[in-house]
Amino acid sequence: DQQVKQNSPSLSVQEGRISILNCDYTNSMFDYFLWYKKYPAEGPTFLISISSIKDKNEDGRFTVFLNKSAKHLSLHIVPSQPGDSAVYFCAASTSNTGNQFYFGTGTSLTVIP
Amino acid sequence: EAGVAQSPRYKIIEKRQSVAFWCNPISGHATLYWYQQILGQGPKLLIQFQNNGVVDDSQLPKDRFSAERLKGVDSTLKIQPAKLEDSAVYLCASSARGANTGELFFGEGSRLTVL
């Protein structure tokens, strides 16, 4: 049972444009959400997070939006850079299950120079 | 600050053989996780430790997989006997906090190929 879904396996954008990566979840108990970035042959690295008490969190070129009613979150990268090319995973957790994180299947982003 | 260390990075074995992976989390991190990532999929939690106690091992195939975290620091994940479908990257991660506001720090992973 996939509780966190990323329906777009891949995305290509032009350098300088906006990249929008989407994530949907089914468990309404999730209250903390994270995005991870993964390069080949490396482990995932933390990018940005958002608590369910917020609907937006911004860190430099990266902004995460949360729509609790739609059980949807998105990651915006603007402007996109070639170094952003990687696989992006969203993850979710619930505060009452002891810090367990559930991951989506990932979206491979390619930023074209 | 040293990151999460894992070894070996790569392992090729034949089915029915055994394999063990080792993880050293970030110093002071109480929570340690083992994830399995099959090609094209997201990481799937196998087991979560809080210090040296198991918090969740509901998705660990206990007939062939075992894990321990003696002394609440290093951890080993063992597969015996291995099956073809165990081919995956095994990711170890650690977290500093017990609440849900901490992020996971991942190691580089151990890639297992079962022939």
Side-chain angles (χ1 to χ4, degrees):
Chain A
D1 180 27
Q2 191 73 28
Q3 298 189 59
V4 179
K5 301 177 183 177
Q6 294 175 256
N7 293 318
S8 298
S10 62
L11 174 68
S12 291
V13 299
Q14 208 70 34
E15 181 179 3
R17 298 290 185 100
I18 184 171
S19 295
I20 300 176
L21 295 92
N22 295 302
C23 179
D24 298 293
Y25 60 95
T26 57
N27 188 342
S28 58
M29 298 300 292
F30 286 145
D31 54 11
Y32 188 59
F33 305 88
L34 310 91
W35 284 94
Y36 280 82
K37 177 179 178 179
K38 185 182 183 304
Y39 293 117
E42 295 183 10
T45 55
F46 171 74
L47 191 58
I48 192 169
S49 64
I50 187 167
S51 166
S52 60
I53 62 173
K54 296 184 176 181
D55 54 19
K56 175 183 174 182
N57 189 27
E58 193 172 350
D59 183 3
R61 296 186 297 113
F62 302 90
T63 303
V64 56
F65 296 92
L66 176 62
N67 182 335
K68 290 186 289 294
S69 61
K71 296 192 183 69
H72 177 84
L73 66 155
S74 61
L75 174 68
H76 292 209
I77 306 173
V78 56
S80 300
Q81 299 174 355
D84 297 329
S85 297
V87 178
Y88 290 78
F89 293 98
C90 67
S93 72
T94 56
S95 55
N96 64 353
T97 57
N99 216 21
Q100 293 164 17
F101 295 84
Y102 299 87
F103 284 81
T105 52
T107 297
S108 178
L109 173 66
T110 301
V111 179
I112 303 164
Chain B
E1 179 183 74
V4 176
Q6 290 189 246
S7 67
R9 288 294 310 277
Y10 304 93
K11 189 73 176 178
I12 300 174
I13 61 173
E14 307 226 334
K15 59 183 179 183
R16 290 186 291 274
Q17 287 187 321
S18 63
V19 63
F21 302 112
W22 172 83
C23 173
N24 187 356
I26 292 174
S27 178
H29 280 195
T31 310
L32 184 147
Y33 310 76
W34 282 102
Y35 281 87
Q36 180 193 57
Q37 186 177 14
I38 294 172
L39 187 64
Q41 299 182 20
K44 183 185 89 169
L45 179 68
L46 291 176
I47 189 167
Q48 177 186 347
F49 293 94
Q50 181 77 17
N51 297 309
N52 61 350
V54 175
V55 174
D56 180 18
D57 63 356
S58 57
Q59 298 191 86
L60 187 73
K62 298 181 186 64
D63 57 333
R64 298 182 300 105
F65 286 66
S66 64
E68 60 182 10
R69 191 185 183 196
L70 299 176
K71 302 179 183 178
V73 182
D74 292 8
S75 177
T76 56
L77 175 70
K78 296 179 182 177
I79 307 173
Q80 181 179 16
K83 292 186 174 181
L84 296 177
E85 59 261 34
D86 298 332
S87 294
V89 175
Y90 290 86
L91 293 163
C92 179
S94 68
S95 175
R97 308 187 192 188
N100 69 333
T101 54
E103 68 263 26
L104 301 180
F105 294 84
F106 283 90
E108 293 181 316
S110 295
R111 180 177 295 277
L112 173 66
T113 301
V114 182
L115 303 176

